Amino acid sequence: FDPANPVIEDSAIICLTTGGITATCVPTFVDDGADIDNVPDNMLEFKRITSYTATLGFTALSVSPSVVKLSLGAADASDEEGTTKITPRMELKNTDFEDVWWVGDVKGGKMAAVQLKKALSTGGFSLKTTKAGKGNLSVTLTGHYSIKAQDEVPMDFYIGAPTTEEGA
């Protein structure tokens, strides 16, 4: 997805969802003055951020091979006589981490977007079915830092130009 040219291709849509999308970006703080005598807690001069936990959570209505693989995090897919087999694996590969975008509309017809960087499923596979109902697959993706860019928070936010008619 390119926020400067917000066209959304059908092939880029991961899945249909239900219940909304939850995007979170929560800082972890350290209070360096916490163990200093006569210094109150939460003094701004001693407070610092050590990291952010950035997540996207959603419930997928479609149980496609790509969504199952995404929910597992570390998995491989193979075709066996017209059937896709998804096999979890014990080791992570760099290709398991990918940027994921949520894109929506806000008041005034403008687009809003959240980019989760180096996303990997940390919630595992969780399928829930109901009697005569739809199956739902819960997915929690977590953004990750890179050793090559340790100060780059794994989530960005965009609010801007309207999405084009082709992408709406």
Side-chain angles (χ1 to χ4, degrees):
F1 181 75
D2 179 5
N5 182 24
V7 175
I8 303 167
E9 302 292 333
D10 286 346
S11 62
I13 296 172
I14 294 172
C15 62
L16 298 172
T17 62
T18 185
I21 308 287
T22 301
T24 63
C25 190
V26 180
T28 299
F29 293 98
V30 170
D31 185 349
D32 288 332
D35 61 350
I36 299 175
D37 295 337
N38 299 320
V39 173
D41 288 344
N42 295 318
M43 187 168 289
L44 70 97
E45 289 84 359
F46 290 113
K47 196 117 183 189
R48 62 188 171 91
I49 297 172
T50 58
S51 66
Y52 281 85
T53 300
T55 64
L56 280 176
F58 57 90
T59 301
L61 283 175
S62 53
V63 183
S64 67
S66 61
V67 175
V68 171
K69 187 175 180 288
L70 179 67
S71 74
L72 288 167
D76 295 311
S78 61
D79 278 331
E80 295 183 1
E81 299 178 22
T83 300
T84 303
K85 177 183 177 185
I86 298 103
T87 305
R89 66 180 130 70
M90 293 296 293
E91 74 281 349
L92 290 171
K93 297 178 180 178
N94 285 342
T95 54
D96 292 329
F97 299 84
E98 59 182 308
D99 289 1
V100 174
W101 290 79
W102 170 84
V103 181
D105 297 318
V106 294
K107 188 175 179 178
K110 294 188 176 200
M111 83 75 207
V114 176
Q115 178 188 19
L116 185 63
K117 300 174 188 176
K118 299 166 199 70
L120 179 76
S121 173
T122 54
F125 179 86
S126 177
L127 176 67
K128 181 179 180 184
T129 62
T130 59
K131 182 177 179 180
K134 300 173 186 166
N136 294 322
L137 182 60
S138 296
V139 180
T140 301
L141 304 174
T142 300
H144 289 78
Y145 287 85
S146 171
I147 199 162
K148 296 175 184 174
Q150 295 179 33
D151 291 333
E152 184 180 314
V153 176
M155 186 175 268
D156 284 329
F157 306 87
Y158 299 84
I159 300 174
T163 54
T164 62
E165 211 164 295
E166 298 87 30

